[in-house]
Amino acid sequence: MSSGAAQLTDQLDPASTVLLTVECQRGVVGPDSALPELADAVRKSGALARVARLVAAAHDTGVQVLHAVAERRPDGRGASRNARLFRAAERLPVQQLTGSTAVRIADPIPVAEDDLVVRRLHGLSPLAGTEVDALLRNFGCRTLVVTGVSANVAIPNAVFDAVNLGYTAVVPADAIAGVPADYTTAMVRNTLALVATVTTTDDVLTNWRRPRGGR
């Protein structure tokens, strides 16, 4: 085993790894998405199907799964308005309203009883200003596997915040998506690869299936 492969195996120890899905909700990546271009990209690229495979494998190997969902109250209370993105989202035909079908985890991603769903009303990151960091520490997490959308905003935010908080970030590059499609490749190569371990879905799955001594 090469040093790089050995490092990845150590990073992906199921006992200290958490899998994070970012905004893999019906109103974002589903057929009735508020962002049809992004939904099209995540499905045509196969990224959504790969997220589903990773979640299923996490369930089988005892890796904790967190689903990060972005939503808003019908009255908009607590929502951020300090960026163009937020103000544009208010005008979209599909709203990510608390309790609606839009904020349910999208098919074909399986959701198990032990999964946790963390919902946020504000900001750009699944970690900043949410309970995710405390949950990760309580789980004994050292490595956070980041998947989902979008490579434009939420994914890099999640990776940067994880690294700043002391976690090792692992990004299966074929299990994230953004728009335009080639932007994801550029973001991974020029930014995420500098701060995270970039890998593939198949490599993560192979490592989770690998027998480990003393377990």
Side-chain angles (χ1 to χ4, degrees):
M1 184 184 298
S2 68
S3 60
Q7 180 185 43
L8 184 62
T9 296
D10 180 62
Q11 290 174 345
L12 291 174
D13 184 346
S16 56
T17 298
V18 171
L19 174 65
L20 178 70
T21 75
V22 179
E23 295 181 30
C24 291
Q25 57 205 73
R26 295 185 186 184
V28 175
V29 299
D32 299 320
S33 170
L35 303 164
E37 187 179 2
L38 178 59
D40 189 57
V42 74
R43 289 180 177 275
K44 283 187 174 179
S45 68
L48 187 61
R50 294 187 189 98
V51 174
R53 289 174 61 204
L54 286 163
V55 172
H59 294 160
D60 290 342
T61 55
V63 172
Q64 179 65 49
V65 178
L66 290 183
H67 303 283
V69 171
E71 59 182 44
R72 59 183 287 115
R73 287 168 49 111
D75 61 9
R77 286 183 177 273
S80 303
R81 299 198 78 252
N82 57 333
R84 176 184 170 192
L85 176 66
F86 301 134
R87 297 190 294 274
E90 293 176 355
R91 301 190 295 272
L92 291 173
V94 177
Q95 294 290 307
Q96 313 299 317
L97 297 180
T98 300
S100 71
T101 58
V103 297
R104 295 180 185 172
I105 304 303
D107 294 332
I109 297 173
V111 180
E113 185 176 337
D114 289 341
D115 293 2
L116 295 183
V117 179
V118 178
R119 305 178 184 276
R120 75 178 194 277
L121 294 173
H122 63 86
L124 300 169
S125 171
L127 276 75
T130 73
E131 59 184 327
V132 169
D133 180 37
L135 294 173
L136 295 178
R137 296 187 189 283
N138 289 344
F139 286 131
C141 175
R142 292 189 298 112
T143 298
L144 186 65
V145 179
V146 180
T147 66
V149 297
S150 72
N152 304 72
V153 179
I155 294 297
N157 265 267
V159 171
F160 294 151
D161 286 344
V163 172
N164 285 332
L165 290 167
Y167 302 102
T168 295
V170 171
V171 179
D174 56 355
I176 66 172
V179 290
D182 58 359
Y183 180 76
T184 300
T185 302
M187 167 60 75
V188 170
R189 179 187 299 117
N190 298 304
T191 301
L192 299 185
L194 302 178
V195 294
T197 298
V198 175
T199 185
T200 66
T201 295
D202 284 344
D203 281 348
V204 174
L205 297 178
T206 296
N207 275 281
W208 282 347
R209 297 187 191 108
R210 182 169 286 128
R212 294 171 186 270
R215 295 189 186 280

